[in-house]
Amino acid sequence: MCGEISMAEIDQPLSEAILGFDPNELSQRYAKEREKRIRPDAEAQYLRISNDSPFSNKYLEDDPYSEKLERAPLKEQREIILVGGGWVGLLTAARLIEAGVRDIRIIESGSDFGGTWYWNRYPGAQCDIESYSYLPLLEETGYIPKLRFSYASEIYEHAQRIGKHFDLYKDAIFQTWVTELRWLEDESMWLVSTNRGDEMRARHICLGTGPANRPRLPGIPGVEKFKGHSFHTCRWDYKYTGGNPEGGLIGLADKTVGIIGTGATAVQCIPALGEGAKQLFVFQRTPSSVDTRNNKETDQKWAKSLKPGWQKERQRKFGEAFLGRSIDPAFIDDGWTRLTRNLLDLADKANGKIDGLMQLADFKTMEEIRSLVDDNVKNPEVAGKLKAYYNQFCKRPTFNDFYLDTFNRSNVELVDVSSTKGVEAINATGIIANGKEYKVDCIIYASGFEITSSYERRLGIPIFGIDGKSIYEHWQDGMRTMHGLMVSGFPNLYLCGGGFVFQLGANYAHGIDVQASHVAYTISQLRNRGIKSANVSIDAEERWITDQLETEGSGFILGGSPDSCTPGYYNQEGTSKRYRNVNQETYGKGVGAYVRLLRKWRADGTLDGLDLD
Ligand code: NDP
């Protein structure tokens, strides 16, 4: 059967009695569940929300959290422009300042710093990575998170704290969308245009627009016909729902709400919706794997005992534990390391032999997660529908202690739309699924973002380099870079924190810091050496592509080949044959190896692979 997990990957000597499940049966079930969801239209099933589409104002440009401010267009020249004021913009600015570069401009579409944490304020929003490793620059700003897993408002406040600490507000312009980037060869400068009529020049551009900058809508027939209220989770309408990110959605007490999607976002906001709404319909195509959260308050004694350098050390250890190496005790009960724990446990039972055990460890992990559904959901039929049948990292794992219990509420109904590969239609008054109309007052789209669609579709900013060549033309046969950062023909342009960082491991903010430090080094070196333009040679780009291909499939985190995984954004809705094909770049060795690689490049000191002018 297409996409079935190969039994050659499965170690036979460990008997079913030891394992507690039949690997063959699970393998067949996984393949069946995948087949049920594969759609020939793949990524095209989603509607792109662009600045000029009918949905743009409501789902992209309008900021429900702030009033729009008017300002005069700017004409200026800067050493560096950072596009985006999320982690990339903040971290790169911080690392540049540490490296002695101060002439910075930050352009941000939101009304404050924070990026994804500015926009995503839905109730229950929380970081799934432990905050001590995830929240950037904790030592530099002297802050210790209150909880092991921070809620969104604390993370947003931390973004503001970084802005204040490094005095970045004076360098930032908010509510501004970059509309074009153009390399001016005669001046060795980038020309930056914006929707505010700005015309700015900069020697260097760092693109920190993040992978989740553009929400997407499911292209359900009739989606534009709905006459009730609707919004996307990343533009939460508290004026309508009442309450705040902590819950208390009293505006929904007399409302019937339909939520479309059950990914990481939905898992976090559904408990508050279940509590607040008169009636909630949850439209589920694929269940998420929902592991326990076990949040804890920060142990103040531990916090006081931390020694300088602790955060980088912790980030490194988290990366290792996640990648299947030794597990530091700090992460022994972390949901991200359950698979590693199971792998090491099975290896123990197989007398230390680890080869061939990965698939079994994954089955075991998912069996444990499926058993949590039975523990928490009273109705066995509903419980059956909530169980995820695929390898753990086929889709983004989720962690929540309130989600499953929400389906025990009498006002919450799970509507399984897997057999029709999604919601059938939307009309003026409701949602059609399984041939039935569910009348709703409000539709909430928890339908995700353009995370792995083509860079052009996701970013949408025209970028013209040497000879006026479009970057998307340069990438017509696949994305090409050096180090996932710089592109041949586009001098002094750095793609920080793009899809590439997604492949380094689960802690996205750590990967960004690694890149930010590297970009700060590169820019300060170019400045100190009086170099105006640094362009990656074609040869260096080729070398990086070869290096990357060698790492493909070597990562521990993969947990199943892409063509045996159920569709989702990790595998371009089931069409990708490559591992975690985020924007067509791949790097299987993890963050530690990437850190070492960049460190070696810097130590060499020759700025290898860059044509300098
Ligand atoms: P996702 O893309 O993960 O989920 C979209 C959901 O919409 C899926 O459940 C999908 O179903 C469903 N869907 C799409 N089209 C239809 C349709 N036609 N009918 C029914 N259902 C449909 O988006 P999220 O916003 O949940 O998450 C995106 C990412 O954001 C996460 O993977 C994660 O990286 C990040 N995130 C991080 C958090 C953190 O803690 N740091 C918290 C929340 C999000 P299907 O699965 O079948 O395609």
Side-chain angles (χ1 to χ4, degrees):
M1 198 185 296
C2 165
E4 196 166 327
I5 291 156
S6 152
M7 282 301 115
E9 293 170 36
I10 296 176
D11 193 78
Q12 297 305 325
L14 280 171
S15 71
E16 200 184 319
I18 293 178
L19 294 170
F21 54 83
D22 176 354
N24 288 297
E25 214 174 87
L26 282 178
S27 165
Q28 281 159 21
R29 175 81 192 259
Y30 283 18
K32 214 169 100 199
E33 295 287 339
R34 172 189 147 96
E35 282 306 303
K36 206 158 112 181
R37 291 172 178 83
I38 290 282
R39 289 175 51 142
D41 52 356
E43 289 181 302
Q45 69 181 280
Y46 285 99
L47 282 180
R48 180 175 187 271
I49 303 174
S50 64
N51 298 57
D52 52 8
S53 81
F55 294 107
S56 76
N57 288 350
K58 194 164 155 192
Y59 296 122
L60 188 69
E61 284 191 333
D62 284 359
D63 180 346
Y65 317 121
S66 303
E67 293 302 314
K68 187 164 179 182
L69 301 172
E70 294 308 323
R71 66 166 175 83
L74 285 172
K75 262 195 197 317
E76 61 169 21
Q77 184 171 316
R78 295 284 183 149
E79 187 158 10
I80 175 155
I81 289 183
L82 305 170
V83 182
W87 292 147
V88 171
L90 292 167
L91 275 158
T92 310
R95 298 304 182 205
L96 279 165
I97 289 167
E98 286 172 353
V101 185
R102 191 59 259 204
D103 186 13
I104 297 165
R105 166 65 76 200
I106 303 176
I107 306 179
E108 164 57 42
S109 59
S111 306
D112 204 332
F113 291 126
T116 203
W117 298 106
Y118 176 82
W119 293 111
N120 285 280
R121 304 178 181 197
Y122 56 83
Q126 187 181 37
C127 185
D128 284 334
I129 307 294
E130 66 136 37
S131 47
Y132 319 123
S133 301
Y134 177 81
L135 264 66
L137 301 167
L138 288 178
E139 289 192 67
E140 289 82 348
T141 55
Y143 184 68
I144 297 288
K146 296 182 200 121
L147 296 168
R148 183 168 180 205
F149 297 97
S150 297
Y151 282 97
S153 45
E154 187 183 18
I155 306 177
Y156 171 41
E157 271 168 36
H158 187 62
Q160 294 172 312
R161 179 176 298 110
I162 295 172
K164 286 176 203 145
H165 183 87
F166 289 94
D167 198 15
L168 300 176
Y169 277 92
K170 65 175 176 30
D171 302 316
I173 43 175
F174 296 107
Q175 300 185 347
T176 304
W177 295 81
V178 169
T179 52
E180 188 185 279
L181 297 173
R182 188 175 286 276
W183 175 248
L184 305 175
E185 243 163 298
D186 296 345
E187 302 174 37
S188 293
M189 284 276 171
W190 282 95
L191 178 65
V192 181
S193 313
T194 75
N195 68 338
R196 297 290 194 136
D198 304 311
E199 249 187 47
M200 303 175 185
R201 281 171 162 72
R203 179 77 68 210
H204 301 275
I205 299 284
C206 176
L207 259 185
T209 43
N213 62 324
R214 191 172 297 267
R216 60 182 188 180
L217 285 188
I220 299 167
V223 65
E224 72 293 346
K225 293 197 179 123
F226 184 61
K227 294 269 184 282
H229 202 77
S230 68
F231 56 88
H232 190 279
T233 46
C234 74
R235 301 287 187 276
W236 195 273
D237 190 350
Y238 282 108
K239 286 194 189 105
Y240 180 80
T241 64
N244 57 39
E246 276 153 43
L249 308 179
I250 50 173
L252 300 181
D254 58 350
K255 303 281 190 303
T256 298
V257 177
I259 181 165
I260 298 179
T262 50
T265 299
V267 165
Q268 293 185 339
C269 67
I270 280 172
L273 286 171
E275 259 177 43
K278 182 177 82 176
Q279 172 73 45
L280 177 68
F281 295 115
V282 177
F283 295 87
Q284 172 193 272
R285 181 164 65 186
T286 313
S288 276
S289 70
V290 187
D291 205 342
T292 48
R293 162 85 315 153
N294 283 330
N295 209 354
K296 293 185 197 89
E297 285 189 9
T298 299
D299 175 351
Q300 294 306 326
K301 223 168 110 196
W302 165 80
K304 286 201 182 80
S305 74
L306 293 168
K307 303 274 179 305
W310 71 267
Q311 194 183 22
K312 279 212 161 72
E313 182 64 3
R314 199 169 174 99
Q315 288 172 330
R316 187 182 66 74
K317 285 179 171 168
F318 176 78
E320 278 182 1
F322 175 61
L323 287 170
R325 297 179 193 132
S326 59
I327 304 183
D328 186 85
F331 304 108
I332 205 76
D333 61 345
D334 190 302
W336 293 98
T337 60
R338 191 190 272 272
L339 184 53
T340 306
R341 290 198 298 278
N342 279 329
L343 183 68
L344 298 177
D345 178 52
L346 287 184
D348 226 29
K349 292 192 170 102
N351 301 323
K353 184 175 149 287
I354 214 158
D355 291 349
L357 290 180
M358 183 58 189
Q359 182 56 57
L360 291 179
D362 207 303
F363 282 147
K364 188 167 189 282
T365 301
M366 290 301 280
E367 282 286 283
E368 288 168 2
I369 291 172
R370 284 188 284 268
S371 78
L372 294 173
V373 182
D374 291 324
D375 295 347
N376 285 283
V377 179
K378 291 187 185 125
N379 181 329
E381 199 190 325
V382 177
K385 290 178 186 162
L386 286 165
K387 289 180 188 169
Y389 284 92
Y390 44 80
N391 277 353
Q392 192 187 21
F393 289 96
C394 283
K395 279 186 175 278
R396 165 66 153 68
T398 75
F399 311 88
N400 197 287
D401 291 337
F402 313 105
Y403 177 72
L404 294 171
D405 188 41
T406 304
F407 294 93
N408 295 322
R409 299 181 68 103
S410 57
N411 66 327
V412 176
E413 184 177 332
L414 180 70
V415 186
D416 180 350
V417 294
S418 58
S419 61
T420 47
K421 301 181 196 283
V423 164
E424 273 163 68
I426 291 177
N427 64 18
T429 51
I431 298 172
I432 321 282
N434 304 321
K436 176 177 164 190
E437 183 188 357
Y438 293 82
K439 285 202 184 299
V440 293
D441 300 299
C442 174
I443 300 179
I444 300 175
Y445 293 102
S447 44
F449 303 87
E450 301 272 355
I451 297 180
T452 57
S453 39
S454 76
Y455 216 77
E456 182 169 21
R457 182 177 157 121
R458 173 162 75 75
L459 185 65
I461 303 174
I463 304 174
F464 301 103
I466 292 173
D467 295 333
K469 189 176 177 187
S470 160
I471 203 165
Y472 309 114
E473 199 188 316
H474 182 65
W475 287 339
Q476 61 188 343
D477 297 323
M479 199 170 170
R480 312 162 55 90
T481 68
M482 180 176 84
H483 299 157
L485 271 172
M486 295 181 80
V487 186
S488 182
F490 300 81
N492 302 1
L493 176 72
Y494 312 86
L495 313 170
C496 245
F500 181 79
V501 170
F502 249 130
Q503 311 182 54
L504 296 176
N507 187 358
Y508 190 66
H510 179 202
I512 289 173
D513 197 11
V514 170
Q515 288 197 329
S517 302
H518 189 72
V519 169
Y521 165 87
T522 308
I523 291 177
S524 64
Q525 284 296 311
L526 294 173
R527 191 176 77 150
N528 296 348
R529 299 180 197 191
I531 294 160
K532 287 189 184 155
S533 155
N535 185 24
V536 173
S537 69
I538 287 284
D539 178 50
E541 222 178 48
E542 284 297 331
R543 262 188 285 148
W544 177 245
I545 291 166
T546 315
D547 287 355
Q548 277 181 74
L549 287 176
E550 277 171 14
T551 72
E552 186 164 42
S554 65
F556 172 84
I557 50 173
L558 310 171
S561 74
D563 59 1
S564 66
C565 274
T566 192
Y569 76 82
Y570 276 11
N571 64 354
Q572 266 89 7
E573 304 305 324
T575 59
S576 174
K577 297 280 176 235
R578 296 180 63 182
Y579 289 95
R580 297 198 92 203
N581 188 0
V582 183
N583 294 323
Q584 299 132 27
E585 286 222 295
T586 185
Y587 189 80
K589 289 184 182 170
V591 68
Y594 187 59
V595 167
R596 288 190 291 278
L597 180 132
L598 296 184
R599 202 181 281 148
K600 198 167 154 212
W601 186 88
R602 292 195 296 266
D604 169 58
T606 61
L607 305 177
D608 183 34
L610 295 178
D611 291 337
L612 307 170
D613 196 5

